[in-house]
Amino acid sequence: MAELFDAVLFDRDGTLIVDVPYNGDPELVEPMPGARAALDGLRAAGLRIGVVTNQSGLARGRFTADQLAAVNRRVEDLLGPFDDWQICPHDDTAGCRCRKPAPGMVVAAAAALGTVPARCVLVGDIGRDAEAAQAAGAAAILVPTPVTLPGEVAAAPAVAATIEAAADLILEREALVTPAPRSSRGRTVLVVRSDSAGDVLVTGPAIRAVAAGADRVVMLCGPRGRHAAELLPGVDELVEWRLPWIDPQPGPVDPADVAALTERLRATGASEAVVFTSFHQSALPLALILRTAGVGRITAISEDYPGSLLDVRHRGVPAGVPEPERARSVAAAAGFALPPGDDGRLRVTAATKRAGEYVVVHPGASCEARSVPPEAMRRIVAGLADAGHRVLVTGGPDERHLAAYVAGTAGEQVGRTSMAELAAILADATALVVANTGPAHLAAAVGTPVVSLYAPTVPYGQWGPYRVPNVRLGDSAAPCRDTRATTCPVDGHPCLSTIEPAEVVAAVARLAAPAEIAEAAA
């Protein structure tokens, strides 16, 4: 079985074949350049292949069902057989659950192919293809054509120049998390992620992979991620320590503190370490301490020459790969794989997804550039309440006044909660409305859909909600795009301040569809 995906779904017109509007003539079918080679490569890798296509020409009377079937047979004649076809025959006035960007066809295709949306990737040429995939919880790759809008390209979680490049990206992501050969089981293995709660949560699948191949796992984390680390499956012991080369507000390097950390790590008895970092961080300072503490085998990403500090120097991870997969690639380089049956989604021990009873709005964020202005969040809460939703407003320890203001008279402010208590609240939610911050990943870990009010300062495909139904809102092409800014560089914060309550209400409705479809099918 593949490590990441079981199936690849394709849009038909403009992706697999040249788009001929309302085509009912098999003689006009022309494959897109490279389509057959891309499909054959994916089939050879053992991936199942499906098609999900809007065909409103049926509803509009532009062709018949027999003509549509003849065109699809011609597609298979030219491109080989597909394992499943999902066709929406409705036009955009029908309000159906299947017409993209609704997620219905993605959910149905996953079921027909014997898998779940989280283990599917959809390749398409316009924004509604990517949006349908995301709303179902699947991955998405956009292959732009002349009809693709610039905003659709900017909003896509991943972009490839051609269909062959999209297939190559899928196979490359698979290869990244395929474990290297390993001669023996790990004894005590130290894993490291000294970052915020969100960073710790997205590292969870990689840590579970290490735990599957080790007798005991000790985790070194920082104070900002401690409460999230406590919820990760597979961790037997936690060591909390502030690392001055990682912490965003570091103090001076204290030789006595370094000596104490060295002895604390030695006391864990770890014979091996796997160090997880973000792309802008260095694992080498800690690797030196680990060597001094007697750790015999160390794996980490390092673009800098590590000398004798690393035994496994992992390199070549493409930019923009989802952060959970980037972390899994480090574990794989060390020889660790997820156990059979583990689908690689985020997970915590505190709560599991239950029936949705309310919408949660979390107005805070880890930095100003990612925060939606409070007055905009207050309007969103009022809009959700006017649409009939019960709305709970949550906040961190320092966000009591913010939460009270945003809740107003339309929402219900939730008092201070622990990370485990917040996980339980999110597990009962229909959806979470949140910026790019830790609770978005906590919602993903309990299976709750996310309306992501996302500032484009960092790539959505890398840091957006992972393998959970999601809708992205906000201006993805704003001037702050890819700046990594922590303070908004544009007056008025236009990427987030312009989000309208009606957009959020519509997003929550779209995210309710996958669960309702699955329930109806059961």
Side-chain angles (χ1 to χ4, degrees):
M1 185 180 74
E3 295 289 337
L4 283 178
F5 303 117
D6 297 322
V8 183
L9 310 178
F10 288 89
D11 170 59
R12 195 191 77 174
D13 302 321
T15 302
L16 291 173
I17 61 174
V18 174
D19 186 14
V20 176
Y22 303 118
N23 181 31
D25 184 354
E27 295 301 318
L28 298 180
V29 173
E30 178 184 352
M32 291 293 283
R36 181 65 192 243
L39 291 167
D40 286 347
L42 295 171
R43 291 178 180 121
L47 293 163
R48 297 188 283 280
I49 308 295
V51 179
V52 289
T53 178
N54 289 349
Q55 293 296 330
S56 64
L58 275 176
R60 300 173 192 269
R62 304 295 290 270
F63 50 74
T64 67
D66 287 342
Q67 288 174 314
L68 174 61
V71 167
N72 289 342
R73 284 195 298 271
R74 180 59 177 163
V75 172
E76 291 204 328
D77 289 342
L78 295 170
L79 297 178
F82 292 90
D83 299 299
D84 184 55
W85 284 81
Q86 296 292 328
I87 299 167
C88 173
H90 309 107
D91 63 21
D92 52 12
T93 66
C96 64
R97 293 175 174 176
C98 50
R99 182 174 171 80
K100 294 176 290 185
M105 285 194 290
V106 179
V107 175
L113 295 170
T115 187
V116 295
R119 290 190 60 85
C120 297
V121 56
L122 191 156
V123 180
D125 68 314
I126 59 175
R128 64 177 57 196
D129 297 320
E131 292 168 19
Q134 291 170 250
I141 301 174
L142 193 71
V143 180
T145 67
V147 304
T148 314
L149 300 176
E152 295 174 337
V153 177
V159 178
T162 65
I163 189 171
E164 286 182 292
D168 290 343
L169 177 57
I170 293 166
L171 297 178
E172 184 176 23
R173 286 171 64 175
E174 287 284 358
L176 278 172
V177 299
T178 300
R182 186 178 176 88
S183 60
S184 63
R185 184 176 177 85
R187 290 172 290 173
T188 296
V189 180
L190 178 77
V191 296
V192 182
R193 188 72 196 243
S194 185
D195 278 299
S196 66
D199 298 305
V200 168
L201 290 169
V202 298
T203 312
I207 293 172
R208 297 200 306 271
V210 174
D215 295 329
R216 185 167 174 269
V217 173
V218 179
M219 182 175 184
L220 172 63
C221 66
R224 296 182 300 136
R226 169 65 186 256
H227 296 304
E230 291 173 342
L231 304 182
L232 293 183
V235 176
D236 299 297
E237 178 186 349
L238 281 176
V239 176
E240 179 187 328
W241 213 279
R242 190 185 299 273
L243 304 182
W245 55 91
I246 298 292
D247 199 85
Q249 296 178 319
V253 176
D254 181 353
D257 183 70
V258 172
L261 174 59
T262 304
E263 292 310 308
R264 179 67 184 89
L265 296 177
R266 190 190 308 275
T268 66
S271 59
E272 181 173 352
V274 182
V275 182
F276 301 104
T277 52
S278 289
F279 79 95
H280 61 288
Q281 298 169 343
S282 174
L284 297 185
L286 182 62
L288 177 60
I289 293 173
L290 291 168
R291 280 284 187 249
T292 307
V295 176
R297 186 175 191 260
I298 305 172
T299 300
I301 290 177
S302 182
E303 295 302 325
D304 295 326
Y305 173 62
S308 59
L309 296 182
L310 298 180
D311 300 279
V312 180
R313 179 191 183 190
H314 184 44
R315 303 174 71 185
V317 181
V321 167
E323 194 67 13
E325 294 173 25
R326 184 178 189 272
R328 281 183 62 187
S329 77
V330 181
F336 294 105
L338 286 169
D342 191 323
D343 61 11
R345 284 187 269 195
L346 308 192
R347 193 181 302 165
V348 291
T349 58
T352 55
K353 181 63 184 164
R354 297 184 288 271
E357 298 178 356
Y358 42 73
V359 174
V360 174
V361 173
H362 187 90
S366 55
C367 64
E368 185 268 344
R370 301 178 190 174
S371 302
V372 180
E375 58 274 14
M377 278 299 228
R378 184 180 172 102
R379 291 195 300 270
I380 287 169
V381 169
L384 287 166
D386 287 345
H389 294 286
R390 180 187 175 198
V391 184
L392 303 188
V393 181
T394 58
D398 301 324
E399 297 169 341
R400 181 168 57 88
H401 295 296
L402 172 64
Y405 172 76
V406 167
T409 58
E412 304 172 33
Q413 182 184 1
V414 177
R416 182 174 179 175
T417 62
S418 66
M419 186 73 71
E421 289 168 336
L422 179 58
I425 291 170
L426 293 175
D428 274 341
T430 301
L432 169 68
V433 180
V434 67
N436 177 21
T437 193
H441 304 301
L442 188 60
V446 298
T448 293
V450 179
V451 179
S452 183
L453 314 180
Y454 197 89
T457 53
V458 294
Y460 190 77
Q462 185 172 356
W463 289 103
Y466 186 66
R467 291 196 165 188
V468 69
N470 66 92
V471 173
R472 176 184 184 172
L473 297 178
D475 182 0
S476 54
C480 62
R481 181 178 172 87
D482 295 335
T483 62
R484 296 189 57 82
T486 57
T487 302
C488 182
V490 184
D491 289 342
H493 210 0
C495 69
L496 296 178
S497 63
T498 55
I499 297 172
E500 294 294 333
E503 295 179 83
V504 178
V505 172
V508 170
R510 185 186 299 175
L511 291 175
E516 293 171 358
I517 294 167
E519 183 178 339

